[in-house]
């Protein structure tokens, strides 16, 4: 089976989904293993972690083999790589999207974090790296023959002539036009990874372009929630400073933006303060709420986020109950405004005490709020 691994701080899920989507559209069956479970085309299997334990992973691959699936793309987290959850798997392609501050509780330093990510590329025959990321440049120095992607730097697969078309994007790669039904520039990077792999496997850019046109996105990755209020309600899994920046920088400047979010209890003070600063930088009204306090307290986490908001002279309110926070954001937004629900995505829990999970569903809660309003 052809194995493809995707690693990086942001974009793993969407990139893996794009690779699987394109290969399936091109007639080369591909399984997809990651944060949202294992998709074996005709059936799904749940996964406990982004990168499953090696025994669970082998069970998934055996099922994929039974289904005559020839490719498997999987998200490979730094935890999974460091803890050898994919030990013994030989990858045809190792994809490195980007690196920014996260998981410092586990890795302690950015250098350790980077080295953990490089375990995937070391176990891959071919590498795909993003040259617009400083750590991507560093990866290219290690893997001289890596396939390169970018928007700003010279690379083998560079997106040029980028234009926004309604809520979509158009761009060219090596003279071939692509249309993406996605909103953010970061989605171009994710799609370039899929373009690079499919093209390297022998598919023409024109074929890949046609396949990509039908991609509508991934659950809880800039996912619009239908409503009758005329508000742009968006659910996204963003939970890092870089992910916040990527979401907010491309939004219309003439609309009010609300963001309902908290930060996990095991994230550092720097991360908490940074998301507050970035939100204020882009004029986002922060509705600071609960998101897995774990071993920390909501009061401590929310005050640290607010420090960042205040430093950049932003607007915020602290509402502990997540449902009430969502209600505040939606009820204060006017037609055409954006309300983001960030950090939970497809997760079905909140962790209030240590790692004990209490059932919670973001989209169900949003629907309840919409009905009440």
């Amino acid at each position: 089976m052809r194995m493809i691994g995707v690693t990086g701080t942001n974009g793993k899920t969407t990139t893996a989904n794009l690779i699987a989507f394109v290969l399936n559209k091109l007639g080369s069956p591909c399984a997809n293993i990651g944060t949202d479970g294992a998709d074996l085309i005709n059936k799904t299997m749940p996964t406990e972690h982004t990168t499953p334990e090696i025994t669970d992973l082998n069970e998934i691959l055996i099922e994929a083999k039974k289904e005559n699936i020839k490719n498997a793309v999987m998200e490979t987290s730094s935890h999974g790589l460091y803890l050898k959850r994919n030990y013994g798997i030989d990858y045809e392609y190792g994809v490195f999207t980007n690196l920014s501050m996260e998981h410092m509780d586990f890795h302690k330093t950015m250098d350790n974090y980077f080295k953990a990510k490089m375990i995937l590329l070391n176990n891959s025959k071919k590498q795909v790296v993003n040259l617009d990321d400083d750590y991507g440049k560093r990866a290219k120095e290690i893997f001289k023959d890596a396939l390169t992607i970018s928007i700003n730097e010279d690379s083998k697969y560079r997106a040029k002539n980028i234009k926004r078309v309604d809520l979509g994007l158009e761009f060219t790669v090596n003279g071939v036009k692509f249309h993406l039904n996605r909103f953010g520039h970061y989605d171009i990077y994710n799609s370039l990874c899929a373009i690079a792999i499919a093209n390297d496997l022998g598919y023409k850019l024109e074929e890949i372009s046609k396949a990509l046109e039908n991609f509508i996105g991934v659950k809880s990755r800039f996912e619009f929630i239908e409503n009758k209020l005329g508000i742009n309600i968006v659910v996204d899994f963003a939970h890092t400073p870089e992910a916040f920046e990527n979401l907010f920088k491309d939004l219309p400047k003439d609309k009010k933006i609300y963001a309902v979010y908290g930060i996990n209890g095991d994230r550092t003070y720097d991360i908490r303060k940074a998301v507050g600063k970035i939100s204020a930088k882009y004029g986002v009204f922060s509705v600071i709420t609960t998101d897995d306090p774990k071993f920390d307290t909501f009061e401590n986490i929310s005050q640290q986020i607010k420090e960042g908001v205040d430093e950049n002279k932003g607007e915020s309110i602290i509402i502990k109950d997540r449902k009430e926070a969502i209600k505040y954001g939606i009820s204060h937004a006017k037609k055409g405004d954006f309300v983001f629900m960030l950090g939970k995505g497809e997760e079905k829990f909140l962790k209030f005490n240590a790692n004990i999970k209490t059932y919670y569903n973001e989209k169900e809660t949003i629907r309840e709020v919409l009905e009440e309003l």
Side-chain angles (χ1 to χ4, degrees), residues 18-251:
L18 273 158
I19 293 166
F21 181 86
V22 167
L23 290 181
N24 281 319
K25 280 284 179 188
L26 293 171
S28 186
C30 186
N32 183 11
I33 305 161
T35 306
D36 299 333
D39 181 359
L40 307 185
I41 302 175
N42 294 317
K43 63 177 166 183
T44 57
M45 296 172 71
T47 52
E48 188 69 23
H49 307 289
T50 295
T51 305
E53 299 291 350
I54 189 63
T55 46
D56 297 331
L57 193 48
N58 276 282
E59 282 181 17
I60 291 166
L61 294 175
I62 287 166
E63 287 301 311
K65 193 79 175 165
K66 286 177 186 172
E67 298 285 317
N68 293 316
I69 293 171
K70 304 290 188 261
N71 311 281
V73 61
M74 58 179 288
E75 297 176 53
T76 55
S77 66
S78 57
H79 288 70
L81 289 161
Y82 184 81
L83 298 170
K84 297 182 168 65
R85 289 181 193 152
N86 44 6
Y87 183 80
I89 291 176
D90 295 316
Y91 293 90
E92 185 76 18
Y93 295 95
V95 179
F96 178 72
T97 60
N98 52 64
L99 200 75
S100 62
M101 192 189 295
E102 200 191 11
H103 305 307
M104 289 299 103
D105 58 305
F106 186 84
H107 295 294
K108 308 303 179 191
T109 69
M110 286 297 289
D111 198 49
N112 288 342
Y113 187 24
F114 176 72
K115 285 174 182 173
K117 296 292 191 187
M118 290 303 100
I119 294 169
L120 170 65
L121 274 62
N122 274 313
N123 287 304
S124 302
K125 289 180 190 170
K126 296 184 179 182
Q127 297 78 26
V128 179
V129 301
N130 173 14
L131 289 187
D132 285 350
D133 182 83
D134 288 341
Y135 286 95
K137 289 184 178 76
R138 192 167 152 188
K140 179 66 167 67
E141 288 171 12
I142 301 167
F143 303 97
K144 306 289 186 190
D145 298 326
L147 299 171
T148 53
I149 67 154
S150 73
I151 292 175
N152 303 315
E153 301 281 337
D154 284 334
S155 63
K156 184 163 185 182
Y157 298 94
R158 183 179 180 183
K160 296 181 178 179
N161 308 313
I162 299 167
K163 287 191 299 187
R164 189 173 302 291
V165 184
D166 296 324
L167 289 178
L169 290 161
E170 276 185 3
F171 56 94
T172 60
V173 178
N174 298 336
V176 176
K177 187 184 277 189
F178 286 80
H179 180 85
L180 204 57
N181 291 308
R182 303 290 292 146
F183 189 83
H185 269 55
Y186 57 90
D187 281 308
I188 296 175
Y189 289 107
N190 300 335
S191 65
L192 285 170
C193 296
I195 291 165
I197 288 173
N199 189 232
D200 193 66
L201 288 172
Y203 295 100
K204 292 178 181 176
L205 289 174
E206 289 81 1
E207 295 176 276
I208 302 164
S209 172
K210 195 172 180 184
L212 262 179
E213 277 181 11
N214 299 308
F215 183 76
I216 56 170
V218 182
K219 290 183 202 172
S220 295
R221 271 40 176 208
F222 214 105
E223 181 182 355
F224 285 95
I225 303 297
E226 281 188 31
N227 65 89
K228 295 173 182 175
L229 302 174
I231 299 167
N232 295 299
I233 298 174
V234 179
V235 175
D236 195 278
F237 192 50
H239 56 278
T240 68
E242 188 178 53
F244 272 50
E245 181 109 30
N246 285 336
L247 279 181
F248 298 148
K249 68 183 179 184
D250 293 328
L251 296 174

